Amino acid sequence: MKQFSSKPWGVIQSVSNRKLSGCLTASHKDSPELGWQIYFGDGRLNYATSTKWALQRIESLWQYLPEKFPFPSWIKAQDLANRDFRKSDYQLLCDWKEEHQIPITEFRRLLAYLTREAINQVLSYELMTLQFEPNITLKPLFLAADVKDMVKSSLADIRRWQTLRSFFPSPFAQICLDQDDAGKFLKIKEKTPANQAIGNDSLTMSSLTMSSWIHLLVKRLSLYELADQTGLEPVQLAEWLYPYISAGVVKAVIDSPIQKPEVLSNKPLIACVDDSKAVQRQVKTILEMAGYTVLNITDPSTLLSTLVKQKPMLILMDINMPEIDGYELTSIVKRSQKLRDIPVVMLTGRDGLIDRMRAQFVGAVDFLTKPVEPDRLVTLVNQLTKTKFQAVA
């Protein structure tokens, strides 16, 4: 499917007017891994969610849902062992609806709220990288909302985010305060009215003390996570933080992946570096069913920082990628003192002697052809991670 940069509203309108069915993926131009998926059926909105950390987003927004619903146990980190990783957040929500016998009308309002919040985020960007995959449908289907009606009801929030977007590139951005800047933070607070005037709102600090704010901000939580901790909606929180962000005392950064419970689970972590979402889905499904956690990396520019932070036990590396190929990336990994001991297995659609020799030359330990054979993949990963574990032990 072709990717292109465009104004998201024009593309959403086009999909709606042409009554298309499928999934529109809208990605942040500077961080492709931070994006949104919007599902359409005959041009109507069925659901919208984030491409990463969807459950953490749902957790942070749960307190603002239109109804008081029982909290899903599968969101919490301690319940990861009981979660079915093959299921999307939408499928998990549908299962939760059946388990708690949530009335359809109330469940639709829940889906509409989550969808509207995602649409607000997408439409607050001037440009996004967009990709439409036709004929991808959700089952069972509960929501079929009119695009224009939903956007019309959200214009105020969309405009609020547009005002803040240059300071908050994503709600998944980490909000950072250096401990050494705590004094500057307090000085700005002394000059700020107790009730900050933001647009037509008068915004208070919630019930947190300044020491509590500083404690939270030095933890590098995302805007969504901070909203969950403070009781402020994400857009309210962004507005409250605006004086500190604009002064450069607090920073919103997206260049460092946020460590999430899936990565911090006890399951061995395998990194899959491939620009193909189809291959990523295949590898993720196979390995998670075999008891592994999979870290998907589609953007080579984030490779080193991601691998250093997450430290996988094994790297599956695609050879054919745009801009820089897998051979060069493997060479870079092997030159890194922190990463050079991690085994690398090359993935490719070709199976020639020259390719195998090049893979061995740059330091890869093995070679898998695509499409990947599930048994071969699991056997090889089991073998290499066991060897790696014994070496570390």
Side-chain angles (χ1 to χ4, degrees):
M1 264 52 67
K2 181 181 178 182
Q3 289 187 347
F4 54 95
S5 293
S6 183
K7 294 183 177 181
W9 174 233
V11 177
I12 290 173
Q13 270 190 312
S14 177
V15 172
S16 177
N17 292 339
R18 294 165 63 187
K19 297 184 178 180
L20 300 179
S21 298
C23 178
L24 177 66
T25 300
S27 303
H28 190 282
K29 61 183 179 65
D30 295 325
S31 294
E33 73 276 12
L34 300 179
W36 308 89
Q37 290 178 320
I38 307 172
Y39 292 88
F40 293 87
D42 294 326
R44 299 179 74 85
L45 289 170
N46 297 150
Y47 185 60
T49 185
S50 58
T51 54
K52 293 191 71 173
W53 307 314
L55 300 189
Q56 285 73 24
R57 170 179 171 264
I58 291 175
E59 179 180 6
S60 71
L61 296 176
W62 199 264
Q63 60 186 308
Y64 307 111
L65 293 176
E67 310 286 345
K68 294 299 180 183
F69 294 116
F71 192 79
S73 61
W74 37 260
I75 285 182
K76 288 296 185 182
Q78 59 264 32
D79 293 304
L80 285 175
N82 300 320
R83 187 190 303 167
D84 189 342
F85 284 91
R86 292 167 295 178
K87 292 188 175 183
S88 67
D89 58 313
Y90 182 82
Q91 292 171 316
L92 289 169
L93 283 169
C94 290
D95 291 347
W96 165 86
K97 171 197 173 296
E98 294 301 317
E99 177 187 355
H100 294 280
Q101 298 183 339
I102 306 297
I104 289 180
T105 53
E106 294 181 10
F107 188 58
R108 282 183 184 140
R109 284 197 288 271
L110 182 155
L111 295 179
Y113 177 85
L114 295 175
T115 297
R116 182 180 293 106
E117 198 274 341
I119 295 291
N120 292 353
Q121 293 294 333
V122 172
L123 294 183
S124 66
Y125 292 95
E126 178 67 21
L127 291 174
M128 296 198 82
T129 300
L130 300 162
Q131 176 177 298
F132 185 74
E133 297 182 70
N135 304 319
I136 295 179
T137 57
L138 297 174
K139 293 182 180 179
L141 192 61
F142 293 97
L143 181 68
D146 181 82
V147 171
K148 292 181 179 178
D149 287 347
M150 182 167 286
V151 171
K152 185 178 180 180
S153 66
S154 302
L155 281 177
D157 281 340
I158 292 170
R159 287 169 181 153
R160 290 167 79 181
W161 277 115
Q162 286 173 335
T163 302
L164 296 161
R165 187 54 73 203
S166 60
F167 294 96
F168 297 90
S170 167
F172 289 108
Q174 293 170 301
I175 310 303
C176 313
L177 171 66
D178 192 299
Q179 189 73 55
D180 294 338
D181 289 331
K184 296 178 183 178
F185 183 86
L186 292 172
K187 285 183 179 179
I188 294 175
K189 180 63 197 76
E190 290 172 0
K191 298 176 183 179
T192 305
N195 292 331
Q196 290 176 218
I198 306 291
N200 296 322
D201 296 334
S202 183
L203 189 62
T204 64
M205 295 172 51
S206 80
S207 58
L208 293 179
T209 63
M210 288 307 296
S211 60
S212 296
W213 275 104
I214 292 172
H215 175 72
L216 285 173
L217 293 173
V218 298
K219 291 171 68 174
R220 298 178 68 92
L221 301 175
S222 73
L223 195 65
Y224 277 140
E225 290 170 315
L226 276 175
D228 185 39
Q229 293 283 322
T230 61
L232 296 172
E233 290 189 79
V235 67
Q236 285 183 309
L237 178 61
E239 289 170 334
W240 189 85
L241 288 168
Y242 170 79
Y244 309 96
I245 294 278
S246 60
V249 174
V250 175
K251 297 178 176 61
V253 297
I254 58 175
D255 57 345
S256 300
I258 307 166
Q259 293 204 4
K260 292 296 168 180
E262 289 92 335
V263 175
L264 298 175
S265 70
N266 294 325
K267 300 177 182 179
L269 179 64
I270 310 299
C272 181
V273 185
D274 200 305
D275 64 323
S276 167
K277 292 185 178 180
V279 172
Q280 293 278 15
R281 285 194 295 267
Q282 181 193 23
V283 169
K284 188 178 182 68
T285 299
I286 294 169
L287 291 183
E288 286 185 344
M289 290 180 66
Y292 294 92
T293 298
V294 178
L295 172 64
N296 293 135
I297 302 175
T298 56
D299 181 9
S301 67
T302 66
L303 179 70
L304 287 182
S305 61
T306 303
L307 294 179
V308 168
K309 285 182 176 294
Q310 309 290 10
K311 284 294 181 64
M313 295 186 71
L314 175 68
I315 301 169
L316 301 174
M317 180 77 73
D318 181 31
I319 290 179
N320 297 315
M321 287 185 289
E323 298 182 9
I324 182 170
D325 64 30
Y327 297 123
E328 181 61 28
L329 286 173
T330 301
S331 297
I332 293 171
V333 169
K334 291 303 175 182
R335 290 197 296 268
S336 169
Q337 187 174 358
K338 295 181 179 180
L339 303 173
R340 62 189 179 192
D341 293 329
I342 300 175
V344 178
V345 174
M346 307 301 289
L347 300 176
T348 182
R350 301 174 295 184
D351 188 13
L353 178 61
I354 293 177
D355 293 312
R356 290 181 178 273
M357 291 177 63
R358 287 190 66 186
Q360 186 175 7
F361 179 77
V362 297
V365 297
D366 216 317
F367 192 98
L368 283 176
T369 55
K370 297 187 289 187
V372 176
E373 296 181 11
D375 291 343
R376 167 67 175 146
L377 174 62
V378 173
T379 299
L380 182 59
V381 171
N382 285 343
Q383 176 188 341
L384 292 173
T385 54
K386 181 180 179 181
T387 302
K388 175 68 176 174
F389 178 78
Q390 290 175 340
V392 172

